[in-house]
């Protein structure tokens, strides 16, 4: 059983996600160290100058203990929960939705225009609906917020690794399920999952929690951590539709 799970599509999606996640998280930690450095303007490099100028909440930095706490829970969710708990659940659900005869495998032909032009937008829409709905529910219920979602709001100024700093239950239902549900429903080709959907999904959520302005773009999710409300979605499409969007105060400074 475990050998088949090891080579399953869900397992490979988890491994790809981990690769992207840790690469971006470590890069963001490095940029955070530059933003918090006290070097004089004469000794600053281009990157350290950029980090200080584009940090959305420049006066808030993680302490060593906070960084340790962040790494422990986030790593637990991305290894134990993602690989050993979610992978078997995902494979069962994927096979339930798409039976063995219909489910696409790596050996099947990859029809790029169907996968990229038709299925990928559906994945993004399903993830947006799922994340927005579950996120709103976690904020609307005082019980769910206190016992589950409050963990994710531990840090007012998050960093990339903070995207999965959540209660394990929220990580399963609120993070993993909306991302995996799209490929399950569209019967996505495994190559679409490995090389396009999961890397882009992890990239998006890491950028949303990075705490930086990139090329003039400020991800609205940082304002959600700052205010504890507004901007509940991932693409913020439903926030626009339902009037729950808000700008970031750093937009006036950067």
């Amino acid at each position: 059983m475990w050998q088949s799970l090891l080579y399953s599509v869900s397992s490979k999606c988890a491994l790809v996600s981990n690769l992207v996640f840790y690469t971006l998280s470590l890069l963001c930690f490095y940029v955070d160290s530059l933003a918090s450095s006290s070097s004089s303007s004469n000794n600053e490099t281009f990157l350290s100058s950029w980090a200080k100028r584009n940090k959305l909440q420049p006066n808030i930095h993680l302490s060593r203990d906070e960084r340790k706490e962040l790494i422990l829970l986030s790593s637990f969710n991305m290894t134990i929960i993602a690989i050993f708990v979610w992978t078997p659940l995902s494979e069962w659900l994927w096979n339930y939705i798409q039976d063995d005869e219909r489910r696409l495998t790596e050996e099947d032909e990859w029809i790029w225009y169907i996968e990229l032009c038709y299925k990928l937008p559906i994945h993004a829409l399903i993830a947006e609906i799922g994340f927005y709905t579950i996120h709103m529910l976690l904020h609307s219920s005082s019980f769910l917020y206190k016992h589950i979602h409050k963990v994710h709001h531990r840090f007012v100024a998050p960093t990339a690794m903070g995207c999965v700093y959540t209660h394990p239950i929220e990580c399963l239902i609120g993070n993993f399920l909306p991302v995996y549900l799209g490929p399950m429903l569209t019967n996505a080709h495994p190559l679409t999952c490995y090389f396009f959907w999961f890397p882009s999904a992890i990239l998006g959520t890491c950028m949303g929690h990075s705490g930086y302005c990139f090329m003039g773009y400020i991800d609205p999710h940082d304002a959600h951590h700052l205010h504890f409300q507004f901007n509940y979605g991932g693409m913020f499409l439903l926030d626009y539709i339902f009037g729950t969007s808000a700008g970031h105060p750093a937009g006036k400074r950067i």
Side-chain angles (χ1 to χ4, degrees):
M1 174 186 174
W2 285 107
Q3 186 174 5
S4 62
L5 283 174
L6 180 63
Y7 295 102
S8 67
V9 174
S10 295
S11 176
K12 292 176 183 178
C13 289
L15 292 175
V16 167
S17 299
N18 268 278
L19 177 62
V20 177
F21 168 75
Y22 281 108
T23 300
L24 295 176
S25 295
L26 292 175
L27 178 60
C28 199
F29 274 151
Y30 174 66
V31 176
D32 285 341
S33 68
L34 296 178
S36 61
S37 66
S38 57
S39 58
S40 64
S41 58
N42 293 330
N43 297 325
E44 281 188 353
T45 64
F46 170 80
L47 188 56
S48 62
S49 176
W50 179 93
K52 293 178 179 180
R53 186 173 64 253
N54 287 279
K55 185 169 172 57
L56 297 177
Q57 300 182 51
N59 298 321
I60 303 178
H61 303 281
L62 295 178
S63 66
R64 180 176 297 180
D65 289 339
E66 288 175 330
R67 190 177 292 110
K68 180 180 178 181
E69 180 184 339
L70 172 67
I71 292 172
L72 287 175
L73 180 55
S74 298
S75 298
F76 176 80
N77 283 334
M78 286 300 289
T79 52
I80 304 301
I81 299 301
I83 297 174
F84 296 103
V85 178
W86 177 251
T87 291
L89 288 174
S90 173
E91 277 300 294
W92 173 82
L93 184 58
W94 211 322
N95 286 326
Y96 180 80
I97 295 174
Q98 304 287 346
D99 57 54
D100 290 337
E101 294 182 0
R102 291 192 305 166
R103 185 175 175 184
L104 293 177
T105 67
E106 295 173 359
E107 287 71 35
D108 289 311
E109 180 184 3
W110 185 70
I111 306 175
W112 69 269
Y113 54 89
I114 293 179
E115 296 293 325
L116 302 184
C117 301
Y118 169 66
K119 293 183 181 180
L120 273 185
I122 295 177
H123 299 169
L125 182 60
I126 291 174
E128 169 72 356
I129 294 172
F131 185 74
Y132 181 90
T133 303
I134 295 170
H135 199 181
M136 279 289 290
L137 178 63
L138 291 171
H139 274 270
S140 301
S141 168
S142 58
F143 176 84
L144 292 178
Y145 184 86
K146 178 180 179 181
H147 295 283
I148 295 180
H149 191 53
K150 188 177 180 180
V151 175
H152 185 61
H153 281 277
R154 166 74 174 79
F155 303 109
V156 176
T159 186
M161 186 171 277
C163 65
V164 290
Y165 183 86
T166 64
H167 191 289
I169 293 177
E170 179 181 352
C171 196
L172 284 170
I173 301 174
N175 289 20
F176 296 156
L177 181 59
V179 175
Y180 276 77
L181 193 56
M184 292 177 182
L185 293 175
T186 65
N187 194 17
H189 195 286
L191 297 183
T192 304
C193 299
Y194 305 155
F195 296 105
F196 295 96
W197 173 239
F198 283 89
S200 63
I202 294 296
L203 173 64
T205 189
C206 282
M207 286 187 63
H209 289 83
S210 68
Y212 291 91
C213 170
F214 291 96
M215 300 178 68
Y217 174 72
I218 299 176
D219 194 291
H221 192 73
D222 193 89
H224 174 78
H225 279 266
L226 180 62
H227 299 300
F228 292 82
Q229 56 183 341
F230 307 116
N231 305 336
Y232 299 99
M235 298 190 305
F236 310 102
L237 173 64
L238 295 185
D239 283 299
Y240 177 78
I241 293 175
F242 294 111
T244 53
S245 61
H248 199 292
K252 299 177 181 179
R253 173 178 59 86
I254 298 177

